[in-house]
Amino acid sequence: MEKLKKLKAIIPFLGTVCVVLLFHFSKIYALKFYPVIVNSFIFCVFFSSVFCEETIIQKFAKKMDGELTDFSRNYTRKLTYVWCVFLFVNLSISFATVFMSPKIWELYNACISYIALGVMFGVEYIVRIILRAKYDRK
C-alpha cells in the first residue's frame, strides 16, 4: 500500500518527463502546446474561484491555519487576483512561444517561466510574513 502511495506521488513527474523527452526527440509540433494546456488549466482553476464565496487560496489558507481573520480573508482574495494576472500573463507568453523558434520556446517554457514562478512565490511569501506581523493578530 505504501508503494502505491509513492507511485501516485511521482506519476505527474513521470508524465512530464515523458512529454519533455517526446518533444525533445520528435518533431511533433502539437507538443509545444503542453505548457499552454497546463497553464490554461491552472489559470481556469484560480480564475473560476474568484466568483466563489471562497477563493482557492482562501481554501488552502483555511486548511493550514484554521479559521481566517478578516485581514486574511481580504489578503487571500486580493492575492488570488494577483495570481490570476500572473497566470494569465504566463499563459499568454507560453502561447506566443508556440509560434516562435524552438530555442525561444525552450528558453521560456523550461527556464524563464519557472524562475518567474519561483520569484512570485518568494515575493508573496515575504510580503505575507511582513503583513501578517503588522496586521494579522489573532
Side-chain angles (χ1 to χ4, degrees), residues 52-90:
C52 298
E53 190 174 320
E54 280 188 331
T55 66
I56 187 95
I57 296 176
Q58 287 174 328
K59 289 178 183 179
F60 286 137
K62 204 173 193 178
K63 287 206 186 273
M64 292 177 68
D65 296 339
E67 201 55 40
L68 299 177
T69 63
D70 288 338
F71 172 79
S72 293
R73 268 191 296 283
N74 290 334
Y75 175 76
T76 52
R77 180 158 290 277
K78 290 175 185 174
L79 183 59
T80 304
Y81 298 145
V82 171
W83 272 104
C84 284
V85 169
F86 173 82
L87 291 167
F88 183 76
V89 169
N90 190 39

Side-chain angles (χ1 to χ4, degrees), residues 29 42 53 73 80 91 95 105 118:
Y29 185 75
I42 297 169
E53 190 174 320
R73 268 191 296 283
T80 304
L91 166 64
F95 183 75
W105 183 90

Side-chain angles (χ1 to χ4, degrees), residues 1-136:
M1 192 61 146
E2 188 67 31
K3 287 184 180 181
L4 187 61
K5 279 187 176 181
K6 288 181 181 178
L7 183 64
K8 282 184 178 180
I10 64 169
I11 287 176
F13 172 75
L14 292 176
T16 302
V17 168
C18 287
V19 169
V20 169
L21 290 174
L22 185 62
F23 175 74
H24 183 72
F25 293 110
S26 72
K27 299 292 182 199
I28 301 174
Y29 185 75
L31 289 175
K32 288 178 106 176
F33 282 97
Y34 175 73
V36 175
I37 294 166
V38 171
N39 287 324
S40 297
F41 176 75
I42 297 169
F43 170 74
C44 287
V45 168
F46 275 74
F47 187 69
S48 65
S49 78
V50 167
F51 302 103
C52 298
E53 190 174 320
E54 280 188 331
T55 66
I56 187 95
I57 296 176
Q58 287 174 328
K59 289 178 183 179
F60 286 137
K62 204 173 193 178
K63 287 206 186 273
M64 292 177 68
D65 296 339
E67 201 55 40
L68 299 177
T69 63
D70 288 338
F71 172 79
S72 293
R73 268 191 296 283
N74 290 334
Y75 175 76
T76 52
R77 180 158 290 277
K78 290 175 185 174
L79 183 59
T80 304
Y81 298 145
V82 171
W83 272 104
C84 284
V85 169
F86 173 82
L87 291 167
F88 183 76
V89 169
N90 190 39
L91 166 64
S92 300
I93 295 171
S94 290
F95 183 75
T97 62
V98 167
F99 306 104
M100 295 179 186
S101 74
K103 296 284 185 200
I104 292 174
W105 183 90
E106 289 174 19
L107 178 65
Y108 184 78
N109 291 293
C111 184
I112 295 172
S113 67
Y114 290 107
I115 292 170
L117 187 66
V119 168
M120 181 73 173
F121 270 118
V123 168
E124 189 279 320
Y125 184 71
I126 292 168
V127 169
R128 181 179 354 142
I129 289 172
I130 292 168
L131 291 178
R132 264 187 149 174
K134 190 172 183 178
Y135 297 109
D136 196 15

